[in-house]
Amino acid sequence: MEDKRLDTENEKLLVLKDVKTSFFTKKGVVRAVDGVSFSISKGEVVGLGGESGCGKSITSLSIMRLVPQPAGKIVSGEILFKNEDLLKKSEDEMRRIRGDRISMILQDPMVSMNQVLRVGYQLGETYRYHHKISGSLRDMCIGLLKKVKVPAPESRVNDYPFQFSGGMCQRALIAMGIANGPDLLIADEPTTALDVTIQAQILKLMKDIQRESKSSIILITHDLATVAQICSRLLVMYGGRIIEKAPVKTFYKKPAHPYSVGLIKSVPVLGRPTGRLYSIDGQPPSLINPPSGCRFAPRCTQAKKPCFEIYPPETTLEEGHKISCWLYSRD
Amino acid sequence: MKNDAIISVHELKKYYPVTKGTFFSRTVGYVKAVDSISFGIKSGETLGLVGESGCGKSTTANVMLGLESPTSGQIMFDGRDITRFSRQELFDFRGNIQAVFQDPFRSLNPRKKVKHIISEPLFIHKVCSRKEIAFRIIQLLDLVGFDPFQAGLYPHEFSGGQRQRIAIARALALNPRVIILDEPVSALDVSIQAQILNLLIDLQKRLHLTYLIISHDLAVVEYVSTHIGVMYLGHLVEMAPSEALYNNPIHPYTRALLDSVPVADPEDIKEVTLEGEVPSPLNPPEGCAFHPRCPVCEPRCSKEGPFMREVAPEHAAACHVCG
Ligand SMILES: Nc1ncnc2c1ncn2[C@@H]1O[C@H](COP(=O)(O)OP(=O)(O)OP(=O)(O)O)[C@@H](O)[C@H]1O
Ligand SMILES: Nc1ncnc2c1ncn2[C@@H]1O[C@H](COP(=O)(O)OP(=O)(O)O)[C@@H](O)[C@H]1O
Ligand code: SF4
Ligand code: SF4
Ligand SMILES: [Mg+2]
Ligand SMILES: [Mg+2]
């Protein structure tokens, strides 16, 4: 939940203002991130949710300034990290921030690690890049593996990634992510590739680490249940834009945006047979030359004429609950 | 229950040899991907198979589809053992069991038009004339919710959910009685997943189909299945009608699995119920395969493996202690 005391611009760790990131392809301009604004307070765990292709990963890669080149480009906006605009930093300055002040954990643990280097070596490199080493690097790596609960860290530190299971690889990646005690950890679908019993373990680990280190976390996921388990606030993306921002407790009790409402209703819930599942008709939008109106209009059962023409402005429903939909707009 | 099943497997095993050496490779062991499992599905019902990655769900499906040959065991369809079929018999039989797989992007030939993709089985099996085929294509497209004009499009012109509809239409072409669905909605978005699940349920009612559905998502399985089978390291450890499995799980692994599923409710935070990971199937634990992770393990569990036994009508579990 957003703490009022932290709610001043100064205490905001990260502020995105109208960020636009596009890919310039043969088929046209893909507006992957199309005017995204949000902020993250210190120590806050925020979920960034939405279906595949809605722009979650590109939003996080924009923050890291790692948008795929040469097609991708951050077109406009500001990304303030500790009050400094990351978009104005040199590549050198960014390199010092990445992996140190902001770090990232990616979806597929097997792919994210270098398969021919020992786990311990990769852990050490992340650390060494940003620090002078005091004491044994090996001991430090073992300590990190211990922290993320890799069993038998003393011998595991010498293993290659392929000798690790998916769950252990994800633990090692989290170890790398937290090696330097970052202010912000971005985890992009960190549990999607894992089995449910392992998912539960990894989510618990992330919660414990967050409590201890007080880092802020952005958890990117298409799975609303994962968000409910560890985040205090949720940002829902659709078609390159954020359509709803809400404290999780509010969101799951009374989602407001027609898309959010439909999304929650269309997920089967264990032990709650629903008869027929609710389903949102139609297909997710293409981000190539999107229409000017609400991106959800072609699938929305409540769409009216203005929905197809003008993008709805953000309206505040109550403290911390904001939504972009004409149904709620007071204009 | 097995007697009036349309399709059933009996002590089905599939072992993959593990070899060492490149030139003179020798077998050093076996991955027991499926280790003596038995179950049956009644006509018009749906069995869901769940379990963690690598527990043998897809291997079971592939053996039942004839894509892999079993190491031993029987697969009975309408009272006949299809593992004993000759090639010709198997070819003639194929139409009875069809499949839909996870990845709608890879399972469709990108260079073929939709009408050719879905009518391919009809050509191969020479079941109808050209005229009839044209009619059948329109019929199949209609079944999965497409307009006739879409027959001339290519797979890349469709989204993931629509491609999965094409794969379903193709699976329906030969009027199968059983459809095996291996992670049919795992690659799809949440809002599209619901469309496909509803379609599968409608088709089942309309065409009186029997399903075997595999998914890592327990809620999805529970939603569509009449019965659920839980697998662990190549074994079937519990099987029951869906409601009974959810309301009265017997096996400690089933209970842990149900407890681990995250729910979209911030007031219902899940505790970690199972420590450790699934052991390597190359080197499975002695006795009950679950014993190293089992919270109620007893001394004998590490010595002898439990067998499936009935704990209630239609409800069986393999555990020395529970049930
Ligand atoms: N062709 C093969 N050769 C050797 N081992 C195999 C082969 N196919 C599968 N296996 C092994 O058999 C076991 C069962 O695999 P299977 O693909 O059936 O699992 P699954 O339950 O479908 O898992 P997932 O949820 O990941 O799809 C695994 O340990 C796997 O590594
Ligand atoms: N390298 C690229 N070239 C062109 N388009 C891209 C590229 N990477 C992503 N996109 C497009 O940008 C949009 C947002 O992608 P992404 O942020 O990865 O979505 P997700 O929400 O699934 O993480 C999608 O439409 C995707 O197709
Ligand atoms: S703005 Fe209009 S089309 Fe968009 S979600 Fe709201 S009501 Fe539906
Ligand atoms: S047989 Fe023993 S180890 Fe296996 S599940 Fe039952 S109690 Fe646990
Ligand atoms: Mg992504
Ligand atoms: Mg599989």
Side-chain angles (χ1 to χ4, degrees):
Chain A
M1 201 87 16
E2 240 170 314
D3 193 333
K4 282 233 178 64
R5 193 168 32 87
L6 296 176
D7 212 27
T8 61
E9 273 293 281
N10 278 342
E11 290 292 337
K12 295 286 182 205
L13 180 69
L14 180 77
V15 181
L16 270 72
K17 289 186 183 164
D18 203 20
V19 173
K20 295 188 177 175
T21 303
S22 296
F23 289 94
F24 298 85
T25 68
K26 277 189 222 117
K27 284 190 184 157
V29 183
V30 181
R31 302 200 190 277
V33 177
D34 199 18
V36 160
S37 307
F38 64 86
S39 58
I40 309 282
S41 302
K42 282 184 187 156
E44 203 186 13
V45 183
V46 176
L48 182 58
E51 298 181 278
S52 77
C54 70
K56 307 179 297 291
S57 297
I58 302 303
T59 300
S60 63
L61 291 175
S62 303
I63 297 169
M64 296 288 277
R65 287 257 313 268
L66 289 174
V67 175
Q69 299 294 334
K73 192 171 181 304
I74 301 174
V75 186
S76 62
E78 283 174 49
I79 300 179
L80 304 175
F81 177 67
K82 296 180 163 178
N83 296 319
E84 290 178 38
D85 192 349
L86 295 180
L87 301 184
K88 298 209 174 92
K89 301 250 179 237
S90 70
E91 184 47 40
D92 233 29
E93 290 172 302
M94 273 318 288
R95 226 173 276 138
R96 256 171 279 142
I97 293 172
R98 283 197 287 260
D100 187 47
R101 295 301 89 217
I102 308 179
S103 63
M104 200 160 168
I105 301 169
L106 296 176
Q107 166 162 2
D108 199 331
M110 294 303 192
V111 181
S112 321
M113 290 189 110
N114 188 331
Q115 293 300 317
V116 298
L117 297 175
R118 292 180 198 279
V119 172
Y121 180 82
Q122 296 190 51
L123 266 175
E125 278 305 285
T126 315
Y127 188 76
R128 188 154 42 193
Y129 191 87
H130 298 282
H131 293 269
K132 287 230 168 58
I133 304 152
S134 55
S136 147
L137 194 59
R138 194 187 133 85
D139 288 346
M140 203 238 19
C141 293
I142 292 172
L144 275 172
L145 288 179
K146 207 174 265 167
K147 206 173 201 171
V148 295
K149 302 211 176 78
V150 169
E154 293 82 3
S155 62
R156 285 299 190 170
V157 74
N158 300 321
D159 278 2
Y160 291 95
F162 68 83
Q163 293 169 293
F164 273 36
S165 67
M168 273 205 299
C169 255
Q170 197 57 284
R171 285 173 194 274
L173 278 174
I174 292 175
M176 262 182 234
I178 59 166
N180 298 309
D183 299 304
L184 177 64
L185 182 66
I186 303 175
D188 192 349
E189 308 267 7
T191 58
T192 304
L194 306 173
D195 284 314
V196 281
T197 63
I198 311 299
Q199 267 181 27
Q201 295 172 1
I202 297 291
L203 286 179
K204 165 89 164 36
L205 176 69
M206 288 187 54
K207 254 192 270 187
D208 290 348
I209 282 173
Q210 198 277 334
R211 238 173 249 146
E212 202 178 303
S213 68
K214 304 279 187 297
S215 300
S216 304
I217 297 180
I218 300 179
L219 176 78
I220 297 179
T221 178
H222 69 282
D223 180 10
L224 293 175
T226 305
V227 173
Q229 293 294 305
I230 76 168
C231 300
S232 56
R233 209 150 58 86
L234 171 62
L235 314 169
V236 184
M237 275 188 93
Y238 187 84
R241 297 233 187 180
I242 293 179
I243 52 117
E244 183 157 3
K245 304 172 181 170
V248 286
K249 287 195 177 141
T250 314
F251 184 81
Y252 293 100
K253 262 196 213 108
K254 37 176 187 169
H257 196 282
Y259 171 67
S260 311
V261 175
L263 199 59
I264 286 191
K265 276 201 281 184
S266 57
V267 186
V269 179
L270 203 56
R272 221 182 290 162
T274 39
R276 207 183 154 75
L277 270 184
Y278 177 85
S279 77
I280 304 174
D281 280 343
Q283 307 297 326
S286 155
L287 301 183
I288 301 179
N289 311 321
S292 52
C294 170
R295 305 286 190 270
F296 188 57
R299 303 173 78 186
C300 182
T301 51
Q302 300 172 73
K304 301 242 157 47
K305 199 155 170 281
C307 302
F308 291 93
E309 286 154 12
I310 310 159
Y311 193 86
E314 192 171 81
T315 315
T316 301
L317 298 182
E318 55 184 88
E319 176 75 35
H321 192 179
K322 295 176 182 164
I323 163 173
S324 295
C325 169
W326 283 116
L327 291 179
Y328 297 84
S329 174
R330 296 188 190 96
D331 301 2
Chain B
M1 156 184 175
K2 274 168 213 153
N3 297 334
D4 50 355
I6 176 170
I7 187 161
S8 59
V9 303
H10 301 269
E11 290 173 29
L12 188 71
K13 289 185 186 169
K14 178 66 190 176
Y15 292 0
Y16 291 103
V18 181
T19 55
K20 245 196 176 131
T22 17
F23 291 109
F24 301 101
S25 63
R26 62 202 159 85
T27 303
V28 294
Y30 291 93
V31 172
K32 298 181 177 177
V34 172
D35 201 6
S36 198
I37 67 173
S38 307
F39 61 78
I41 316 172
K42 283 187 204 161
S43 179
E45 296 194 333
T46 300
L47 173 67
L49 274 186
V50 299
E52 287 172 286
S53 178
C55 69
K57 306 180 296 292
S58 299
T59 306
T60 305
N62 294 342
V63 173
M64 289 172 72
L65 284 165
L67 301 175
E68 305 247 18
S69 53
T71 305
S72 69
Q74 293 173 304
I75 303 167
M76 305 294 290
F77 183 90
D78 252 358
R80 296 191 299 160
D81 184 358
I82 61 178
T83 62
R84 289 165 186 268
F85 278 5
S86 67
R87 277 178 89 158
Q88 186 58 45
E89 279 176 308
L90 204 56
F91 179 82
D92 294 339
F93 172 78
R94 266 297 135 72
N96 286 310
I97 309 182
Q98 292 287 304
V100 175
F101 296 104
Q102 167 167 2
D103 198 341
F105 298 87
R106 259 185 296 165
S107 63
L108 303 177
N109 185 337
R111 281 180 297 276
K112 284 192 170 161
K113 289 182 177 164
V114 165
K115 59 180 171 193
H116 295 131
I117 291 174
I118 61 180
S119 62
E120 195 177 41
L122 299 172
F123 276 105
I124 296 175
H125 288 265
K126 301 192 183 70
V127 284
C128 42
S129 69
R130 282 190 174 269
K131 228 191 193 151
E132 287 167 331
I133 285 181
F135 178 71
R136 182 81 178 129
I137 290 172
I138 294 175
Q139 207 179 25
L140 287 166
L141 285 174
D142 181 57
L143 272 175
V144 298
F146 281 145
D147 288 329
F149 83 88
Q150 289 171 298
L153 304 177
Y154 289 91
H156 74 258
E157 295 174 80
F158 292 91
S159 66
Q162 289 175 312
R163 278 184 251 205
Q164 203 57 306
R165 285 175 195 267
I166 298 169
I168 293 169
R170 181 179 55 187
L172 291 173
L174 293 172
N175 277 322
R177 294 175 59 198
V178 175
I179 300 187
I180 294 183
L181 307 145
D182 190 349
E183 302 276 5
V185 296
S186 307
L188 305 178
D189 276 326
V190 184
S191 73
I192 305 303
Q193 177 180 306
Q195 295 175 5
I196 298 295
L197 291 175
N198 285 336
L199 173 67
L200 288 172
I201 288 174
D202 292 345
L203 289 171
Q204 178 167 44
K205 281 198 199 116
R206 228 163 122 182
L207 308 173
H208 199 72
L209 296 165
T210 304
Y211 288 153
L212 174 72
I213 182 170
I214 292 172
S215 175
H216 67 280
D217 186 335
L218 262 143
V220 163
V221 166
E222 193 206 33
Y223 177 66
V224 295
S225 305
T226 50
H227 295 73
I228 297 177
V230 182
M231 289 185 73
Y232 191 78
L233 269 180
H235 299 276
L236 195 60
V237 297
E238 184 160 4
M239 174 133 167
S242 305
E243 261 193 58
L245 190 98
Y246 179 78
N247 291 320
N248 186 24
I250 300 291
H251 199 280
Y253 177 65
T254 309
R255 291 193 210 164
L257 207 57
L258 288 171
D259 283 343
S260 307
V261 177
V263 283
D265 179 357
E267 324 244 307
D268 183 1
I269 302 297
K270 292 289 171 179
E271 292 303 316
V272 175
T273 49
L274 259 196
E275 296 293 345
E277 312 202 4
V278 185
S280 156
L282 241 178
N283 191 9
E286 295 275 309
C288 173
F290 187 57
H291 88 258
R293 300 172 85 189
C294 182
V296 293
C297 174
E298 286 183 358
R300 67 174 157 157
C301 300
S302 55
K303 293 182 196 93
E304 32 179 312
F307 292 103
M308 283 288 261
R309 66 195 158 82
E310 201 143 275
V311 291
E314 285 202 304
H315 192 162
C319 176
H320 292 308
V321 177
C322 303

